[in-house]
Amino acid sequence: MQKAWWSLLLLVVCCQCYSAQTPPVECKTPLSLSITNDWYPYVKFSKFDSTTGVDVELLKKVLEQMGCELTVIRFPERRTLFELTIGNFDIGLGASKTPERERDFYFSKTYRLERNRFAYRQNDHSVKQSKSFKSIIKQRKLIGVNLAGWYGDELERAKQAYNGFVFSETTIKRLEMLVKNRVDIVIDDDVVLCSEISRQNHPQVVIHPLLLSQASIHFIFNKQSVSPTFMARFDTTLTKVLANGELEALFSHYVSPSCAEQLI
């Protein structure tokens, strides 16, 4: 009897180990990730090299430990969420939660925090002295933003009521518009702004300390192509990868020490 009990226990343990090591059924074929353009340091896109960056490499690390492969598909930013909704790809990254998105997608656990601020020309003293986003609106400043971005409830309401928003898909283009006086401020994640101001050599551009919004950031998954069981396993693996310091190592690799201060 005791031998039979030990045999049963061994069978259960072996089944659990096999389940943990076997890739999910969703990974019989590579999962597809949608990206748009460079969003350094989170996404670094090259026509000749593989797509890298903090978020991309973190995702690859999690999927690799699950036994899954990843392929990258590039879409224009305006089409990304639509294409994900209709099932043309499986994963998106860098997503904050909204009620509309939660209806359409599964959200992973939080893997980092996003803080949105704005960059401006340092000789624009009226912007420098602004104490709130409302004062920017009152000054009728032109605001460069990403059309598909979400920057908090206050800005989303302002988009509906104020016609001073100028939409452009990449941070690099928006900063160029700022330097050329085509917009007065550029809103984005503060680490992205700091990184691109440095990489594009815009010494006349600085980041305002005013925090416009902050949000937890998640990977999102197509409900048509992955199951809740897959999501539970993904979150478990993501938790282990984060606990091992993988995110901090990626930030150290991609983000300059001066911009790393924005992570504190």
Side-chain angles (χ1 to χ4, degrees), residues 114-155:
E114 176 180 85
R115 297 178 179 88
N116 289 307
R117 292 185 167 90
F118 61 85
Y120 67 100
R121 296 179 298 275
Q122 62 179 343
N123 62 358
D124 190 335
H125 299 293
S126 61
V127 170
K128 181 178 181 179
Q129 295 170 6
S130 297
K131 302 298 183 183
S132 69
F133 184 67
K134 288 182 179 178
S135 69
I136 299 294
I137 299 289
K138 288 181 179 179
Q139 295 174 59
R140 308 299 297 176
K141 297 293 186 179
L142 294 178
I143 304 167
V145 295
N146 172 4
L147 178 63
W150 187 86
Y151 305 103
D153 292 333
E154 181 181 12
L155 267 76

Side-chain angles (χ1 to χ4, degrees), residues 32-94:
S32 55
L33 166 69
S34 164
I35 64 167
T36 54
N37 298 291
D38 268 2
W39 194 41
Y40 192 92
Y42 304 121
V43 176
K44 183 181 179 184
F45 180 80
S46 171
K47 293 180 180 179
F48 306 103
D49 301 322
S50 61
T51 303
T52 58
V54 172
D55 286 13
V56 174
E57 293 192 39
L58 180 66
L59 175 62
K60 287 179 178 179
K61 177 66 70 174
V62 174
L63 292 177
E64 177 185 323
Q65 293 194 13
M66 294 173 63
C68 305
E69 296 182 5
L70 184 70
T71 185
V72 175
I73 301 173
R74 190 179 184 191
F75 282 110
E77 189 133 24
R78 300 182 187 192
R79 284 180 53 197
T80 298
L81 293 180
F82 171 73
E83 294 289 343
L84 184 57
T85 302
I86 64 176
N88 281 355
F89 55 89
D90 305 308
I91 310 172
L93 48 72

Side-chain angles (χ1 to χ4, degrees), residues 96-108:
S96 53
K97 283 188 178 181
T98 66
E100 295 78 12
R101 292 175 181 176
E102 288 191 272
R103 286 197 297 266
D104 295 326
F105 312 119
Y106 291 127
F107 278 73
S108 75

Side-chain angles (χ1 to χ4, degrees), residues 247-256:
L247 184 63
E248 290 81 0
L250 288 168
F251 272 119
S252 295
H253 176 72
Y254 284 102
V255 180
S256 67

Side-chain angles (χ1 to χ4, degrees), residues 11-28:
L11 177 63
V12 170
V13 170
C14 289
C15 288
Q16 289 177 339
C17 292
Y18 177 79
S19 175
Q21 295 172 359
T22 303
V25 295
E26 290 89 343
C27 296
K28 290 181 179 179

